[in-house]
């Protein structure tokens, strides 16, 4: 299965995420992303830093796709963010960071579950 399939089928296809991405935890490079969701190289590096050291998200928020999310939870390898009526979930595994964004009308726990399920699957197969 391609990286793009995880984004398209497992995140967006779940109906729980309006945007999604998979990044390398080594350098923040983008493996796959949904249409219109651009994560810059600098944002990718900052996301990796925040996943590895949650205090970075707590101090500066979560910035991706040119949007800044307020970090509502930031633990090792897991972060939740809020922006208006939407938000995001980021979950890290050994080699990847799974990202989901939700909009108005989508319950945050639904997005969190979709993202964490992809992360758990990837972790189970060594990613």
């Amino acid at each position: 299965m391609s990286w793009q399939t995880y984004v398209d089928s497992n995140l967006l296809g779940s109906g729980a995420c309006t945007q999604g991405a998979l990044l390398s935890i080594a350098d923040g490079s983008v493996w796959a992303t949904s249409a219109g969701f651009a994560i810059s190289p600098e944002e990718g590096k900052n996301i990796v830093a925040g996943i590895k050291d949650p205090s970075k998200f707590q101090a500066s928020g979560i910035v991706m796709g040119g949007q800044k999310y307020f970090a509502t939870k930031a633990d090792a390898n897991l972060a939740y963010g809020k922006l208006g009526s939407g938000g995001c979930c980021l979950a890290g595994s050994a080699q990847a960071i799974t990202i989901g964004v939700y909009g108005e009308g989508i319950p945050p726990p639904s997005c969190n579950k979709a993202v964490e399920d992809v992360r758990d699957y990837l972790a189970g197969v060594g990613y």
Side-chain angles (χ1 to χ4, degrees), residues 32-86:
T33 186
S34 57
F37 187 45
I39 297 175
S40 73
E42 181 181 346
E43 290 173 342
K45 289 177 186 172
N46 290 336
I47 289 167
V48 169
I51 284 290
K52 291 182 176 181
D53 179 1
S55 68
K56 294 189 184 306
F57 283 154
Q58 293 165 341
S60 303
I62 303 164
V63 179
M64 56 188 176
Q67 299 289 317
K68 183 175 181 178
Y69 297 80
F70 173 75
T72 58
K73 175 182 179 172
D75 296 329
N77 292 318
L78 184 64
Y80 301 150
K82 187 81 173 133
L83 176 65
S85 60

Side-chain angles (χ1 to χ4, degrees), residues 91-93 98 113-127:
S93 58
T98 305
K113 180 175 181 352
V115 169
E116 292 172 39
D117 285 351
V118 171
R119 184 263 327 260
D120 291 347
Y121 173 78
L122 293 175
V125 296
Y127 281 93

